[in-house]
């Protein structure tokens, strides 16, 4: 049992490491001239090919049509809107700001649990939400991680990506016991690709270097990251996985600082620390396990 738990943490740490590459690789793609929505399209499309191939080889493509449709419809929101919003946030506000705003997801979960399911908001949760709101405000209005003035549109897209991300937790957890990660995300990504394909033009006339970055984006931050995450959730609880994933925003801000010289002001760094502290409070609340 202990060995199984250790393996679970290793899988989640690998997922966090792979997801942390999203901002820096996306900036390479966008710097090469790929528009944000098209970058999101190729991330979803390349990831989808790998997931469908995986599901096909393991017999996971044969699922009831109604369930495939449910996955695809959720993918329009959970992949199409999510991936697109994240890329827009990276473009407008910077990779570091986008990843911090993405990690407002547990705050969304706490708020919606209260209104949709009547879950009691403990003092710990209320404190965490308040801290997260203060931290988010500092990150957003300190100018973000890009030079110049804060982008209100970039902030909105970043918060939207956090909202989309929050819905993945209960959705995947609900279906995890019935279908493999490859089956769930294969059909989800199909829906996401369809949604993103309608969101803007898609080109194939990219340079080999650009295709290399797009391929890395789809393989590493989509297919491999979600496979590792799914393996981890089979071995440790959702709460423990969420806490372990805190490595992602830390590494994500490190990569864009090293490769793209993105950095927050002192107020922005303090705000980011507040957001992560709030997430830690929420995900270690024993009443939420």
């Amino acid at each position: 049992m202990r060995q199984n738990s250790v393996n679970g943490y290793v899988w989640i740490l690998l997922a966090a490491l792979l997801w942390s590459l999203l901002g820096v690789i996306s900036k390479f793609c966008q710097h090469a001239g790929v528009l944000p929505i098209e970058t999101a399209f190729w991330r979803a499309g390349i990831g989808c090919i790998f997931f469908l191939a995986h599901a096909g080889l393991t017999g996971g493509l044969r699922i009831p049509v109604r369930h495939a449709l449910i996955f695809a419809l959720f993918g329009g929101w959970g992949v199409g809107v999510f991936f697109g919003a994240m890329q827009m946030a990276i473009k407008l506000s910077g990779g570091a700001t986008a990843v911090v705003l993405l990690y407002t997801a547990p705050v969304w979960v706490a708020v919606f649990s209260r209104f949709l399911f009547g879950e009691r908001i403990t003092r710990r949760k209320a404190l965490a939400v308040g801290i997260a709101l203060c931290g988010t405000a500092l990150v957003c209005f300190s100018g973000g991680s890009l030079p110049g003035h804060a982008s209100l549109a970039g902030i909105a897209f970043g918060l939207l990506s956090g909202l989309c991300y929050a819905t993945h937790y209960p959705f995947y957890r609900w279906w995890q016991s019935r279908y493999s990660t490859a089956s769930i995300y294969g059909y989800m990504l199909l829906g996401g690709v369809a949604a993103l394909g309608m969101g803007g033009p898609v080109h194939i006339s990219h340079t080999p270097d650009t295709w290399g970055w797009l391929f890395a984006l789809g393989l590493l931050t989509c297919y491999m990251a979600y496979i590792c995450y799914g393996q981890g959730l089979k071995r440790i609880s959702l709460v423990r996985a969420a806490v372990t994933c805190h490595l992602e925003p830390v590494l994500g801000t490190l990569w864009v600082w090293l490769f793209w010289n993105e950095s927050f002001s002192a107020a922005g760094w303090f705000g980011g620390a507040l957001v992560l502290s709030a997430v830690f409070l929420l995900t270690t609340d024993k009443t939420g396990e």
Side-chain angles (χ1 to χ4, degrees), residues 191-266:
V193 168
L196 288 165
M198 295 185 290
V202 174
H203 306 95
I204 59 173
S205 55
H206 299 300
T207 65
D209 285 348
T210 302
W211 276 117
W213 289 119
L214 290 170
F215 183 82
L217 193 66
L219 174 63
L220 301 178
T221 75
C222 188
Y223 173 69
M224 290 183 64
Y226 282 111
I227 286 292
C228 290
Y229 187 66
Q231 290 295 319
L233 286 184
K234 292 179 181 179
R235 295 167 172 82
I236 61 176
S237 71
L238 182 61
V239 172
R240 295 179 186 277
V243 173
T244 307
C245 275
H246 289 171
L247 179 66
E248 178 193 344
V250 176
L251 288 177
T253 54
L254 173 64
W255 303 143
V256 291
W257 173 69
L258 286 174
F259 289 95
W260 292 98
N261 200 32
E262 282 193 24
S263 184
F264 292 115
S265 65

Coordinates of all heavy atoms in Angstrom, one line a residue, residues 191-266:
G191 N -14.2 17.0 -28.9 CA -15.2 18.1 -28.8 C -14.4 19.4 -28.7 O -14.9 20.4 -29.3
G192 N -13.3 19.4 -28.0 CA -12.5 20.6 -27.9 C -11.9 21.1 -29.2 O -11.9 22.3 -29.5
V193 N -11.4 20.1 -30.0 CA -10.9 20.4 -31.3 C -12.0 21.0 -32.2 O -11.7 22.0 -32.9 CB -10.3 19.2 -32.0 CG1 -10.0 19.4 -33.4 CG2 -9.0 18.7 -31.2
A194 N -13.2 20.5 -32.2 CA -14.3 21.0 -33.0 C -14.6 22.4 -32.6 O -14.8 23.3 -33.4 CB -15.5 20.1 -32.8
A195 N -14.6 22.7 -31.3 CA -14.9 24.0 -30.8 C -13.8 25.0 -31.2 O -14.1 26.1 -31.6 CB -15.1 24.0 -29.3
L196 N -12.6 24.6 -31.0 CA -11.5 25.5 -31.3 C -11.4 25.8 -32.8 O -11.0 26.8 -33.3 CB -10.2 25.0 -30.8 CG -10.0 25.0 -29.2 CD1 -8.9 24.1 -28.8 CD2 -9.8 26.4 -28.8
G197 N -11.7 24.7 -33.6 CA -11.7 24.9 -35.1 C -12.6 25.9 -35.6 O -12.4 26.5 -36.6
M198 N -13.7 26.1 -34.8 CA -14.6 27.2 -35.2 C -14.3 28.6 -34.7 O -14.9 29.6 -35.0 CB -16.0 26.8 -34.7 CG -16.6 25.6 -35.4 SD -18.3 25.2 -34.9 CE -18.1 24.7 -33.2
G199 N -13.2 28.6 -33.8 CA -12.9 29.8 -33.2 C -11.9 30.7 -33.9 O -11.6 31.9 -33.6
G200 N -11.3 30.2 -35.0 CA -10.4 31.0 -35.8 C -9.7 30.2 -36.8 O -9.8 29.0 -36.9
P201 N -8.9 30.8 -37.7 CA -8.2 30.1 -38.8 C -7.1 29.2 -38.3 O -6.5 29.4 -37.3 CB -7.6 31.2 -39.6 CG -7.4 32.4 -38.7 CD -8.6 32.3 -37.7
V202 N -6.9 28.1 -39.0 CA -5.9 27.1 -38.6 C -5.0 26.9 -39.9 O -5.5 26.7 -41.0 CB -6.5 25.8 -38.2 CG1 -5.4 24.7 -38.0 CG2 -7.4 25.9 -37.0
H203 N -3.7 27.0 -39.7 CA -2.8 26.9 -40.8 C -1.9 25.7 -40.6 O -1.6 25.2 -39.5 CB -1.9 28.1 -40.9 CG -2.7 29.4 -41.0 ND1 -3.0 30.2 -39.8 CD2 -3.3 30.0 -42.0 CE1 -3.7 31.2 -40.2 NE2 -3.9 31.2 -41.5
I204 N -1.4 25.2 -41.8 CA -0.4 24.1 -41.7 C 0.9 24.5 -42.3 O 1.9 23.7 -42.3 CB -0.9 22.8 -42.5 CG1 -1.2 23.2 -44.0 CG2 -2.2 22.3 -41.8 CD1 -1.5 22.0 -44.8
S205 N 1.0 25.7 -42.7 CA 2.3 26.2 -43.4 C 3.2 26.8 -42.3 O 3.6 28.0 -42.4 CB 1.9 27.3 -44.4 OG 1.2 28.4 -43.8
H206 N 3.5 26.0 -41.3 CA 4.5 26.5 -40.3 C 5.9 25.9 -40.6 O 6.0 24.9 -41.2 CB 4.0 26.0 -38.9 CG 2.7 26.6 -38.5 ND1 2.4 27.9 -38.4 CD2 1.5 25.9 -38.2 CE1 1.2 28.1 -38.0 NE2 0.6 26.9 -37.9
T207 N 6.9 26.5 -40.0 CA 8.2 26.0 -40.2 C 8.4 24.8 -39.3 O 7.7 24.5 -38.4 CB 9.2 27.1 -39.7 OG1 9.1 27.3 -38.3 CG2 9.0 28.4 -40.4
P208 N 9.4 24.0 -39.7 CA 9.7 22.7 -38.9 C 9.9 23.0 -37.4 O 9.5 22.3 -36.6 CB 11.0 22.2 -39.6 CG 10.9 22.7 -41.0 CD 10.3 24.0 -40.9
D209 N 10.6 24.1 -37.1 CA 10.8 24.5 -35.7 C 9.5 24.7 -35.0 O 9.3 24.3 -33.8 CB 11.7 25.7 -35.6 CG 13.2 25.4 -35.9 OD1 13.5 24.2 -35.9 OD2 14.0 26.4 -36.0
T210 N 8.6 25.5 -35.7 CA 7.3 25.8 -35.1 C 6.5 24.5 -34.9 O 5.9 24.3 -33.8 CB 6.5 26.8 -36.0 OG1 7.3 27.9 -36.2 CG2 5.2 27.1 -35.3
W211 N 6.5 23.6 -35.8 CA 5.8 22.3 -35.7 C 6.4 21.5 -34.5 O 5.7 20.8 -33.8 CB 5.9 21.5 -37.0 CG 4.8 21.9 -38.0 CD1 5.0 22.4 -39.2 CD2 3.4 21.7 -37.8 NE1 3.8 22.6 -39.8 CE2 2.8 22.2 -39.0 CE3 2.6 21.3 -36.8 CZ2 1.4 22.2 -39.1 CZ3 1.2 21.3 -36.9 CH2 0.6 21.8 -38.1
G212 N 7.7 21.7 -34.3 CA 8.3 21.0 -33.2 C 7.8 21.5 -31.9 O 7.5 20.7 -31.0
W213 N 7.6 22.8 -31.7 CA 7.1 23.3 -30.5 C 5.6 22.9 -30.3 O 5.1 22.6 -29.2 CB 7.2 24.9 -30.5 CG 8.6 25.3 -30.3 CD1 9.3 26.1 -31.2 CD2 9.4 25.1 -29.2 NE1 10.6 26.3 -30.6 CE2 10.7 25.7 -29.4 CE3 9.3 24.4 -28.0 CZ2 11.7 25.7 -28.5 CZ3 10.3 24.4 -27.1 CH2 11.5 25.0 -27.3
L214 N 4.8 23.0 -31.4 CA 3.4 22.6 -31.4 C 3.3 21.1 -31.0 O 2.4 20.7 -30.2 CB 2.7 22.9 -32.7 CG 2.5 24.3 -33.1 CD1 2.1 24.5 -34.5 CD2 1.5 25.0 -32.1
F215 N 4.1 20.3 -31.6 CA 4.1 18.9 -31.3 C 4.4 18.6 -29.8 O 3.8 17.8 -29.1 CB 5.1 18.1 -32.2 CG 5.1 16.6 -32.0 CD1 4.2 15.8 -32.6 CD2 6.1 16.0 -31.2 CE1 4.2 14.4 -32.4 CE2 6.1 14.6 -31.0 CZ 5.1 13.8 -31.6
A216 N 5.5 19.3 -29.3 CA 5.8 19.2 -27.9 C 4.7 19.6 -27.0 O 4.4 19.0 -25.9 CB 7.1 20.0 -27.6
L217 N 4.0 20.7 -27.4 CA 2.9 21.2 -26.6 C 1.8 20.2 -26.5 O 1.2 19.9 -25.4 CB 2.3 22.5 -27.3 CG 1.3 23.3 -26.5 CD1 2.0 23.9 -25.3 CD2 0.7 24.4 -27.4
G218 N 1.4 19.5 -27.6 CA 0.4 18.5 -27.6 C 0.8 17.2 -26.9 O 0.0 16.6 -26.1
L219 N 2.0 16.8 -27.2 CA 2.5 15.5 -26.6 C 2.8 15.6 -25.1 O 2.3 14.8 -24.3 CB 3.8 15.1 -27.3 CG 4.5 13.8 -26.7 CD1 3.6 12.6 -26.8 CD2 5.8 13.6 -27.4
L220 N 3.5 16.7 -24.7 CA 4.0 16.8 -23.3 C 2.9 17.4 -22.4 O 2.6 16.8 -21.3 CB 5.2 17.6 -23.2 CG 6.4 17.1 -24.0 CD1 7.6 18.1 -23.8 CD2 6.9 15.7 -23.5
T221 N 2.3 18.5 -22.7 CA 1.4 19.2 -21.8 C 0.0 18.7 -21.9 O -0.9 19.1 -21.1 CB 1.5 20.7 -22.0 OG1 0.8 21.1 -23.2 CG2 2.9 21.2 -22.1
C222 N -0.3 17.9 -22.9 CA -1.7 17.4 -23.1 C -1.7 15.9 -22.8 O -2.1 15.4 -21.8 CB -2.3 17.7 -24.4 SG -4.0 17.4 -24.6
Y223 N -1.2 15.1 -23.8 CA -1.3 13.7 -23.7 C -0.5 13.1 -22.4 O -1.1 12.5 -21.6 CB -0.8 13.0 -24.9 CG -0.6 11.5 -24.9 CD1 -1.8 10.7 -24.8 CD2 0.6 10.9 -24.8 CE1 -1.7 9.3 -24.7 CE2 0.7 9.5 -24.7 CZ -0.4 8.7 -24.6 OH -0.4 7.4 -24.5
M224 N 0.7 13.4 -22.4 CA 1.5 12.7 -21.3 C 1.1 13.3 -19.9 O 1.1 12.5 -18.9 CB 3.0 12.9 -21.6 CG 3.6 12.2 -22.8 SD 5.3 12.4 -23.0 CE 6.0 11.6 -21.5
A225 N 0.9 14.6 -19.8 CA 0.5 15.1 -18.5 C -0.8 14.5 -18.0 O -0.9 14.1 -16.8 CB 0.3 16.7 -18.7
Y226 N -1.8 14.4 -18.8 CA -3.1 13.8 -18.4 C -3.0 12.4 -18.1 O -3.7 11.8 -17.2 CB -4.2 14.2 -19.4 CG -4.7 15.6 -19.3 CD1 -4.5 16.5 -20.3 CD2 -5.4 16.0 -18.2 CE1 -4.9 17.8 -20.2 CE2 -5.9 17.3 -18.1 CZ -5.6 18.2 -19.1 OH -6.1 19.5 -19.0
I227 N -2.2 11.7 -18.8 CA -1.9 10.2 -18.6 C -1.3 10.1 -17.2 O -1.7 9.2 -16.4 CB -1.1 9.6 -19.6 CG1 -1.8 9.4 -21.0 CG2 -0.5 8.2 -19.2 CD1 -3.0 8.4 -20.9
C228 N -0.3 10.9 -16.9 CA 0.4 10.8 -15.6 C -0.6 11.1 -14.5 O -0.6 10.5 -13.4 CB 1.6 11.7 -15.6 SG 3.0 11.2 -16.6
Y229 N -1.4 12.2 -14.7 CA -2.4 12.6 -13.7 C -3.4 11.5 -13.4 O -3.7 11.2 -12.3 CB -3.1 13.9 -14.2 CG -4.0 14.5 -13.1 CD1 -3.4 15.1 -12.0 CD2 -5.4 14.6 -13.3 CE1 -4.3 15.7 -11.0 CE2 -6.2 15.2 -12.4 CZ -5.6 15.7 -11.2 OH -6.4 16.3 -10.3
G230 N -3.9 10.9 -14.5 CA -4.8 9.8 -14.3 C -4.2 8.6 -13.5 O -4.9 8.0 -12.7
Q231 N -3.0 8.3 -13.8 CA -2.3 7.2 -13.1 C -2.1 7.5 -11.6 O -2.3 6.7 -10.7 CB -0.9 6.9 -13.7 CG -1.0 6.3 -15.1 CD -1.5 4.9 -15.0 OE1 -1.3 4.1 -14.1 NE2 -2.4 4.5 -16.0
G232 N -1.8 8.8 -11.4 CA -1.7 9.3 -10.0 C -3.0 9.2 -9.2 O -3.0 8.7 -8.0
L233 N -4.1 9.6 -9.8 CA -5.4 9.6 -9.1 C -5.9 8.1 -8.8 O -6.7 8.0 -7.9 CB -6.4 10.3 -9.9 CG -6.3 11.8 -10.0 CD1 -7.5 12.4 -10.7 CD2 -6.3 12.4 -8.6
K234 N -5.3 7.2 -9.5 CA -5.7 5.8 -9.1 C -5.0 5.3 -7.8 O -5.4 4.3 -7.3 CB -5.2 4.8 -10.3 CG -6.0 5.0 -11.6 CD -5.5 4.1 -12.6 CE -6.2 4.3 -14.0 NZ -5.7 3.4 -15.0
R235 N -4.0 6.1 -7.4 CA -3.2 5.6 -6.3 C -3.2 6.5 -5.0 O -3.0 6.1 -3.9 CB -1.7 5.5 -6.7 CG -1.5 4.4 -7.8 CD -0.1 4.6 -8.5 NE 0.1 3.4 -9.3 CZ -0.3 3.3 -10.6 NH1 -1.0 4.3 -11.1 NH2 0.0 2.3 -11.3
I236 N -3.6 7.8 -5.2 CA -3.7 8.7 -4.1 C -5.0 9.5 -4.2 O -5.6 9.6 -5.3 CB -2.5 9.7 -3.9 CG1 -2.3 10.6 -5.2 CG2 -1.2 8.9 -3.7 CD1 -1.2 11.6 -5.0
S237 N -5.4 10.1 -3.2 CA -6.7 10.9 -3.2 C -6.6 12.2 -4.0 O -5.5 12.7 -4.2 CB -7.1 11.2 -1.7 OG -6.3 12.2 -1.2
L238 N -7.7 12.7 -4.4 CA -7.8 13.9 -5.1 C -7.2 15.1 -4.4 O -6.5 15.9 -4.9 CB -9.3 14.2 -5.5 CG -9.5 15.5 -6.3 CD1 -8.9 15.4 -7.7 CD2 -11.0 15.7 -6.5
V239 N -7.4 15.1 -3.1 CA -6.9 16.2 -2.2 C -5.4 16.2 -2.2 O -4.7 17.2 -2.4 CB -7.4 16.1 -0.8 CG1 -6.7 17.1 0.1 CG2 -9.0 16.3 -0.8
R240 N -4.8 15.0 -2.0 CA -3.4 14.8 -2.0 C -2.8 15.2 -3.4 O -1.7 15.8 -3.5 CB -2.9 13.4 -1.6 CG -3.3 13.1 -0.1 CD -2.9 11.7 0.2 NE -3.4 11.3 1.5 CZ -2.8 11.6 2.7 NH1 -1.7 12.3 2.6 NH2 -3.3 11.2 3.8
A241 N -3.5 14.8 -4.4 CA -3.0 15.1 -5.8 C -3.0 16.6 -6.0 O -2.1 17.2 -6.6 CB -3.9 14.4 -6.8
A242 N -4.1 17.3 -5.6 CA -4.2 18.7 -5.7 C -3.1 19.5 -5.0 O -2.5 20.4 -5.5 CB -5.5 19.2 -5.2
V243 N -2.7 19.0 -3.8 CA -1.6 19.6 -3.0 C -0.3 19.4 -3.8 O 0.5 20.4 -3.9 CB -1.6 19.1 -1.6 CG1 -0.3 19.6 -0.9 CG2 -2.8 19.4 -0.8
T244 N -0.1 18.2 -4.2 CA 1.2 17.9 -4.9 C 1.3 18.7 -6.2 O 2.5 19.1 -6.6 CB 1.3 16.4 -5.3 OG1 1.0 15.7 -4.1 CG2 2.6 16.1 -5.8
C245 N 0.2 19.0 -6.9 CA 0.3 19.8 -8.1 C 0.7 21.3 -7.9 O 0.8 22.0 -8.9 CB -1.1 19.8 -8.8 SG -1.3 18.3 -9.9
H246 N 0.9 21.7 -6.7 CA 1.3 23.1 -6.4 C 2.7 23.3 -7.0 O 3.1 24.4 -7.2 CB 1.4 23.3 -4.9 CG 0.0 23.4 -4.3 ND1 -0.2 23.5 -2.9 CD2 -1.2 23.5 -4.8 CE1 -1.5 23.6 -2.7 NE2 -2.1 23.6 -3.8
L247 N 3.4 22.2 -7.4 CA 4.7 22.4 -8.0 C 4.5 23.0 -9.4 O 5.4 23.7 -9.8 CB 5.3 21.0 -8.2 CG 6.7 20.9 -8.9 CD1 7.7 21.6 -8.0 CD2 7.1 19.5 -9.2
E248 N 3.4 22.8 -10.0 CA 3.2 23.4 -11.4 C 3.3 24.9 -11.5 O 4.1 25.3 -12.3 CB 1.8 22.9 -11.9 CG 1.5 23.5 -13.3 CD 0.1 23.3 -13.7 OE1 -0.6 22.5 -13.1 OE2 -0.3 24.0 -14.7
P249 N 2.6 25.7 -10.7 CA 2.8 27.1 -10.9 C 4.2 27.6 -10.5 O 4.6 28.6 -11.0 CB 1.7 27.7 -10.0 CG 1.4 26.7 -9.0 CD 1.5 25.4 -9.8
V250 N 4.8 26.9 -9.5 CA 6.1 27.3 -9.1 C 7.1 27.1 -10.3 O 7.9 28.0 -10.6 CB 6.6 26.5 -7.9 CG1 8.0 26.9 -7.5 CG2 5.7 26.8 -6.7
L251 N 7.1 26.0 -10.9 CA 7.9 25.7 -12.0 C 7.6 26.5 -13.2 O 8.4 27.0 -14.0 CB 7.9 24.2 -12.4 CG 8.6 23.2 -11.4 CD1 8.4 21.8 -11.8 CD2 10.1 23.6 -11.3
G252 N 6.2 26.7 -13.4 CA 5.8 27.4 -14.6 C 6.3 28.9 -14.6 O 6.7 29.4 -15.7
T253 N 6.3 29.5 -13.5 CA 6.8 30.9 -13.4 C 8.3 30.9 -13.5 O 8.9 31.8 -14.1 CB 6.4 31.5 -12.0 OG1 6.8 30.7 -10.9 CG2 4.9 31.8 -11.9
L254 N 9.0 29.8 -13.0 CA 10.4 29.7 -13.2 C 10.8 29.6 -14.7 O 11.8 30.3 -15.1 CB 11.0 28.5 -12.4 CG 12.4 28.1 -12.6 CD1 13.3 29.3 -12.1 CD2 12.8 26.8 -12.0
W255 N 10.1 28.8 -15.4 CA 10.5 28.6 -16.9 C 10.4 29.9 -17.7 O 11.2 30.2 -18.5 CB 9.7 27.5 -17.5 CG 9.7 26.1 -16.9 CD1 8.6 25.2 -16.8 CD2 10.8 25.5 -16.3 NE1 9.0 24.1 -16.1 CE2 10.4 24.2 -15.8 CE3 12.1 25.8 -16.1 CZ2 11.2 23.3 -15.2 CZ3 13.0 24.9 -15.5 CH2 12.5 23.7 -15.0
V256 N 9.2 30.6 -17.5 CA 9.0 31.8 -18.3 C 10.0 32.9 -17.8 O 10.3 33.8 -18.6 CB 7.6 32.3 -18.2 CG1 6.7 31.4 -19.0 CG2 7.1 32.5 -16.8
W257 N 10.4 32.9 -16.6 CA 11.5 33.8 -16.1 C 12.8 33.5 -16.8 O 13.5 34.4 -17.3 CB 11.6 33.8 -14.6 CG 12.7 34.6 -14.1 CD1 12.8 35.9 -14.1 CD2 13.9 34.1 -13.5 NE1 14.0 36.3 -13.5 CE2 14.7 35.2 -13.1 CE3 14.4 32.8 -13.2 CZ2 16.0 35.1 -12.5 CZ3 15.6 32.7 -12.6 CH2 16.4 33.8 -12.3
L258 N 13.2 32.2 -16.8 CA 14.4 31.8 -17.4 C 14.5 32.0 -18.9 O 15.5 32.5 -19.4 CB 14.7 30.3 -17.1 CG 15.1 30.0 -15.6 CD1 15.2 28.5 -15.5 CD2 16.4 30.6 -15.3
F259 N 13.4 31.7 -19.6 CA 13.5 31.7 -21.1 C 12.9 33.0 -21.7 O 13.3 33.4 -22.8 CB 12.7 30.5 -21.6 CG 13.4 29.2 -21.4 CD1 13.1 28.4 -20.3 CD2 14.4 28.8 -22.3 CE1 13.7 27.2 -20.1 CE2 15.0 27.6 -22.1 CZ 14.7 26.8 -21.0
W260 N 12.0 33.7 -21.0 CA 11.3 34.9 -21.5 C 11.5 36.1 -20.6 O 10.9 37.1 -20.9 CB 9.9 34.6 -21.8 CG 9.7 33.6 -22.9 CD1 9.5 32.2 -22.8 CD2 9.8 33.8 -24.3 NE1 9.4 31.6 -24.0 CE2 9.6 32.6 -25.0 CE3 10.0 35.0 -25.1 CZ2 9.7 32.5 -26.4 CZ3 10.1 34.9 -26.5 CH2 9.9 33.7 -27.1
N261 N 12.2 36.0 -19.6 CA 12.5 37.1 -18.7 C 11.2 37.8 -18.1 O 11.2 39.0 -17.9 CB 13.3 38.2 -19.5 CG 14.0 39.1 -18.5 OD1 14.5 38.7 -17.4 ND2 14.2 40.4 -18.9
E262 N 10.2 36.9 -17.9 CA 9.0 37.4 -17.3 C 9.2 37.5 -15.8 O 9.8 36.5 -15.2 CB 7.8 36.5 -17.6 CG 7.2 36.7 -18.9 CD 5.9 36.0 -19.1 OE1 5.2 35.8 -18.0 OE2 5.5 35.7 -20.2
S263 N 8.8 38.6 -15.2 CA 8.9 38.6 -13.7 C 7.8 39.6 -13.2 O 7.4 40.6 -13.8 CB 10.3 39.2 -13.3 OG 10.4 39.2 -11.9
F264 N 7.3 39.2 -12.0 CA 6.3 40.1 -11.3 C 7.0 41.2 -10.6 O 8.2 41.1 -10.3 CB 5.5 39.3 -10.3 CG 4.6 38.3 -10.8 CD1 4.8 36.9 -10.6 CD2 3.5 38.6 -11.6 CE1 4.0 35.9 -11.1 CE2 2.7 37.7 -12.1 CZ 2.9 36.3 -11.9
S265 N 6.3 42.2 -10.2 CA 6.8 43.2 -9.3 C 6.7 42.6 -7.9 O 6.2 41.5 -7.7 CB 5.9 44.5 -9.3 OG 4.6 44.1 -8.9
A266 N 7.2 43.3 -6.9 CA 7.1 42.7 -5.5 C 5.7 42.4 -5.1 O 5.4 41.4 -4.5 CB 7.8 43.7 -4.5

